[in-house]
């Protein structure tokens, strides 16, 4: 009997002996309602004051009813439809101006892969199509089966959903590379050459605005600035470096999330700003009023994640992506290609426990599933301090090698300095469900009555999480189920098609730590040959990362 069959048989026997409600999450696939070869989950509807979906009396209808926002792709982005500048770091526009050679140079100098010709060709062909060939849409956005396409839109992305479930994002038109859309509109915003929206509470929205359209003759050499607006007010946050243009470099900035501290009379925003030498650094924006559009704003650089550390450009740039009501900030810093760590110029994930602290310092994730130099993508954080995203699940050398596979994770961080003591019991109880540590989400979808359904999916990316515990995600699917429940199982012995699908991970009511059944690894080598895989399903197993990836 093969070792693979032994593992599969053992998994079945163990599953049969466990309670029917084993596993922490049910995987719910979401129909997009728009066309596209691959489907990606990008955001989940906020749950407000609703009860936790882990509670024994939680309503499955309510928990499965939180809407997921997503997008489709027929090809990879040339460069991200979300970012202010190419590769989220090219604020001289030098890489992108050099066409194919620039794409290959970026990969060679900033990623270091041995496969840069393939990497560059894949993205250059998409960029060429968008720039010189046609306006055929590639990114179609949706919310639970309903298309979200603003008038005149070509490519549309959704970065988040507001408390009413309304989309927040940006879209391209024939005259603008990016235009913000959300339920909050403002005449000053719409007059800007470009704009992007990242988060909204229904009254205020944050994002960025740019000085040129990014289309036609204004394709290159524009600058951007962080912004926050309401229906009646608009504020552009000052550049920390003070210069819009410095030689060949153009200042950039963006606000990605915010929290209004009414009791403290302040507003905290997070994102990145422009500093000396035009470095794009992770930043906490502090407004001195709980009315953001009336506030005076300052920028606090997040140390340890900045570009220049002790005179060397250790990072390409960095960004703070999310903040919650406990003033916990999370983000990511892309290691420079000139300073790889543990064999990779990776996109490292960090946390700042208190945005109001006198000294703001990033601590990079380390320990357990987060090995030294692991790269990933930050997804989000809820008010229980539960963090989701994706992380390297392999630790081989990437520099002069191949890309590492990545998988989605959840990290129950626990108590932080600004966590209200009245919520300590609830946060401690939620953290105990995960045995007080981070997990690959595939380990939390295994076993029990949902095992057969869940075994059709391997969770690649977790993009958002609400306070009820529901997660928006992207999975690789083997219809009917993988050959075993292991992490590296085949799909039809390697001969069946796999697809990329948007999914919600819905907590199973009453589940606790006793339900966790980590997936095993088949001892037989399972290197996939690519049979039946499109570009997305094949490369997503490595590091496709079109989402909010900071490949700088």
């Amino acid at each position: 009997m093969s070792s693979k069959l032994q593992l599969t048989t053992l998994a079945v026997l163990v599953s049969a002996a466990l309670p029917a409600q084993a596993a922490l999450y049910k995987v719910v696939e979401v129909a997009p309602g728009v066309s596209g070869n691959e489907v990606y989950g990008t955001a989940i509807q906020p749950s407000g004051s609703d009860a936790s979906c882990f509670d024994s009396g939680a309503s499955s209808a309510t928990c499965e009813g939180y809407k997921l926002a997503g997008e489709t792709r027929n090809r990879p982005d040339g460069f991200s439809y979300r970012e202010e500048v190419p590769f989220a770091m090219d604020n001289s526009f030098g890489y992108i101006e050099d066409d194919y050679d620039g794409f290959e140079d970026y990969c060679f100098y900033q990623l270091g892969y041995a496969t840069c010709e393939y990497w560059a060709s894949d993205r250059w062909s998409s960029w060429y199509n968008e720039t010189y060939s046609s306006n055929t849409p590639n990114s179609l956005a949706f919310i639970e089966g309903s298309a979200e396409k603003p008038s005149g839109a070509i490519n549309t992305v959704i970065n988040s959903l507001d408390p009413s479930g309304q989309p927040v994002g940006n879209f391209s038109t024939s005259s603008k590379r990016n235009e913000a859309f959300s339920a909050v509109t403002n005449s000053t915003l719409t007059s800007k050459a470009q704009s992007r929206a990242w988060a909204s509470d229904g009254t205020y929205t944050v994002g960025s605005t740019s000085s040129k359209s990014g289309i036609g003759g204004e394709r290159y050499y524009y600058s951007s600035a962080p912004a926050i607006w309401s229906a009646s007010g608009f504020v552009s946050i000052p550049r920390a470096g003070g210069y819009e243009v410095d030689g060949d470099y153009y200042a950039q900035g963006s606000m990605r999330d915010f929290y209004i501290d009414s009791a403290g009379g302040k507003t905290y925003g997070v994102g990145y700003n422009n500093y000396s030498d035009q470095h794009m650094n992770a930043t906490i924006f502090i407004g001195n009023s709980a009315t953001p559009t009336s506030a005076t704003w300052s920028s606090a650089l997040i140390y340890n994640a900045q570009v220049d550390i002790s005179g060397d450009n250790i990072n390409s740039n960095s960004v703070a992506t999310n903040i919650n009501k406990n003033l916990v900030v999370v983000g990511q810093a892309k290691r420079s290609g000139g300073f790889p760590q543990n064999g990779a110029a990776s996109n490292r994930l960090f946390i700042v426990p208190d945005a109001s602290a006198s000294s703001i310092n990033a601590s990079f994730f380390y320990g357990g599933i987060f090995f030294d130099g692991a790269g990933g993508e930050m997804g989000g954080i809820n008010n229980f301090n539960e963090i989701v995203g994706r992380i390297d699940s392999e630790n081989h050398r990437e520099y002069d090698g191949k890309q590492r596979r990545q998988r989605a994770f959840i990290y129950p961080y626990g108590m932080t300095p600004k966590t209200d003591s009245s919520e300590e019991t609830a946060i401690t109880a939620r953290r105990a469900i995960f045995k007080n540590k981070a997990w690959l989400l595939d380990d939390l979808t295994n076993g029990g009555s949902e095992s057969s359904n869940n075994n059709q999916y391997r969770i690649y990316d977790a993009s958002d999480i609400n306070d009820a515990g529901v997660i928006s995600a992207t999975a690789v699917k083997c219809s009917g189920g993988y050959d075993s429940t292991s992490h590296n199982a085949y799909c039809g012995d390697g001969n069946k098609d796999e697809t990329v699908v948007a999914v919600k991970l819905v907590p199973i009511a009453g589940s606790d730590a006793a339900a966790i059944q980590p997936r095993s690894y088949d001892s037989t080598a399972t290197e996939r040959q690519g049979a039946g895989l499109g570009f997305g399903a094949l490369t997503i197993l490595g590091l496709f990362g079109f989402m909010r990836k900071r490949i700088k």
Side-chain angles (χ1 to χ4, degrees):
M1 182 182 291
S2 71
S3 59
K4 181 176 175 181
L5 182 56
Q6 290 175 28
L7 286 167
T8 304
T9 304
L10 178 61
V12 171
L13 292 172
V14 170
S15 177
L18 288 168
Q21 293 245 313
L24 292 186
Y25 295 98
K26 176 182 179 180
V27 182
V28 179
E29 186 175 343
V30 175
V34 293
S35 62
N37 293 336
E38 282 86 30
V39 186
Y40 299 84
T42 63
I44 197 72
Q45 182 180 0
S47 57
S49 59
D50 293 354
S52 167
C53 288
F54 285 107
D55 290 353
S56 58
S59 165
S60 60
T62 298
C63 294
E64 292 185 27
Y66 294 113
K67 293 183 178 180
L68 176 142
E71 302 155 15
T72 63
R73 289 293 190 277
N74 292 312
R75 58 183 185 274
D77 302 5
F79 72 85
S80 173
Y81 302 129
R82 292 179 159 81
E83 299 292 348
E84 279 74 20
V85 293
F87 313 124
M89 60 81 68
D90 185 16
N91 57 340
S92 72
F93 298 90
Y95 284 126
I96 203 72
E97 190 177 23
D98 286 342
D99 294 335
Y100 171 82
D101 290 341
F103 279 81
E104 188 173 20
D105 285 346
Y106 169 77
C107 180
F108 181 80
Y109 290 110
Q110 291 298 331
L111 302 179
Y113 304 147
T115 56
C116 280
E117 287 187 8
Y118 167 78
W119 188 97
S121 178
D122 208 24
R123 286 151 182 80
W124 157 245
S125 61
S126 189
W127 169 247
Y128 181 90
N129 180 72
E130 296 164 10
T131 308
Y132 306 112
S133 180
S134 71
N135 284 327
T136 304
N138 182 37
S139 181
L140 301 180
F142 65 91
I143 299 177
E144 289 283 330
S146 298
E148 292 292 331
K149 186 177 181 182
S151 178
I154 300 172
N155 291 308
T156 306
V157 297
I158 296 176
N159 294 316
S160 62
L161 294 175
D162 72 14
S164 298
Q166 297 300 304
V168 182
N170 53 272
F171 62 96
S172 64
T173 68
S174 59
S175 60
K176 290 186 178 183
R177 176 166 174 82
N178 283 287
E179 185 163 348
F181 75 101
S182 73
V184 181
T185 60
N186 179 282
S187 58
T188 300
L189 177 78
T190 55
S191 69
K192 297 293 184 178
Q194 285 192 75
S195 58
R196 295 163 178 81
W198 283 87
S200 179
D201 65 359
T203 301
Y204 299 96
T205 299
V206 297
S208 67
T209 61
S210 301
S211 61
K212 292 183 179 180
S213 70
I215 295 292
E218 297 185 327
R219 186 172 306 284
Y220 308 117
Y221 315 131
Y222 55 79
S223 63
S224 63
I228 184 167
W229 61 90
S230 65
S232 58
F234 177 90
V235 175
S236 182
I237 310 298
R239 297 180 180 89
Y243 297 99
E244 180 177 3
V245 183
D246 185 4
D248 294 333
Y249 295 88
Y250 292 75
Q252 309 293 333
S254 178
M255 192 181 296
R256 301 297 175 84
D257 199 8
F258 71 108
Y259 176 71
I260 298 175
D261 179 10
S262 298
K266 291 185 177 181
T267 302
Y268 294 90
V270 298
Y272 71 89
N273 207 343
N274 191 83
Y275 292 81
S276 60
D277 294 328
Q278 300 297 75
H279 291 156
M280 298 156 61
N281 288 326
T283 296
I284 296 173
F285 304 102
I286 304 169
N288 65 353
S289 170
T291 305
T293 51
S294 299
T296 298
W297 288 85
S298 61
S299 296
L301 184 148
I302 299 177
Y303 288 94
N304 297 337
Q306 76 269 30
V307 171
D308 188 331
I309 299 177
S310 300
D312 290 319
N313 290 350
I314 300 298
N315 296 307
S316 298
N317 87 331
S318 57
V319 61
T321 58
N322 303 91
I323 184 171
N324 68 6
K325 71 175 185 179
N326 304 316
L327 301 188
V328 181
V329 176
V330 292
Q332 52 205 31
K334 168 65 175 67
R335 193 86 176 183
S336 170
F339 292 89
Q341 180 182 11
N342 193 22
S346 55
N347 196 49
R348 298 179 298 158
L349 309 183
F350 67 76
I351 188 167
V352 176
D354 181 6
S356 67
S358 57
S359 180
I360 305 297
N361 296 283
S363 296
F364 290 96
F365 290 5
Y366 184 73
I369 64 173
F370 306 113
F371 59 84
D372 184 33
E377 181 75 8
M378 188 60 71
I381 182 172
N382 65 12
N383 290 316
F384 285 89
N385 296 337
E386 294 164 345
I387 304 165
V388 297
R390 70 175 184 265
I391 197 71
D392 288 342
S393 58
E394 300 175 324
N395 64 358
H396 61 254
R397 182 180 178 85
E398 279 193 328
Y399 227 76
D400 297 324
K402 64 178 182 178
Q403 302 169 60
R404 296 167 178 164
R405 289 184 175 90
Q406 295 188 330
R407 283 292 184 265
F409 72 86
I410 185 167
Y411 182 11
Y413 192 76
M415 300 297 290
T416 53
K418 291 295 181 180
T419 304
D420 192 311
S421 59
S422 66
E423 298 175 343
E424 182 173 354
T425 299
I427 290 178
T428 300
R430 281 276 282 261
R431 193 165 187 255
I433 294 172
F434 303 96
K435 298 184 178 180
N436 304 315
K437 66 178 183 177
W439 293 88
L440 296 181
L441 281 165
D442 280 337
D443 283 324
L444 307 182
T445 63
N446 186 36
S449 61
E450 293 297 333
S451 186
S452 179
N453 171 68
N454 288 357
N455 192 45
Q456 298 182 100
Y457 306 93
R458 295 295 181 267
I459 313 302
Y460 165 69
D461 182 54
S463 56
D464 195 11
I465 182 171
N466 65 20
D467 289 346
V470 182
I471 299 169
S472 61
T474 302
V476 180
K477 179 183 181 182
C478 176
S479 183
Y482 284 89
D483 293 357
S484 75
T485 61
S486 67
H487 279 285
N488 55 341
Y490 280 115
C491 178
D493 203 29
N495 296 313
K496 285 181 62 176
D497 289 350
E498 293 171 281
T499 54
V500 179
V501 297
V503 298
K504 289 185 284 192
L505 301 185
V506 181
I508 298 173
S511 293
D512 58 21
I516 297 176
Q517 298 180 54
R519 295 184 187 275
S520 62
Y521 286 88
D522 285 341
S523 58
T524 305
T526 58
E527 284 297 322
R528 300 164 193 262
Q529 301 303 311
L533 298 182
F535 82 85
L538 179 60
T539 57
I540 203 169
L541 296 172
L543 191 61
F544 180 57
F546 86 84
M547 304 292 284
R548 283 169 280 183
K549 181 166 178 56
R550 309 290 298 185
I551 44 175
K552 309 179 184 79

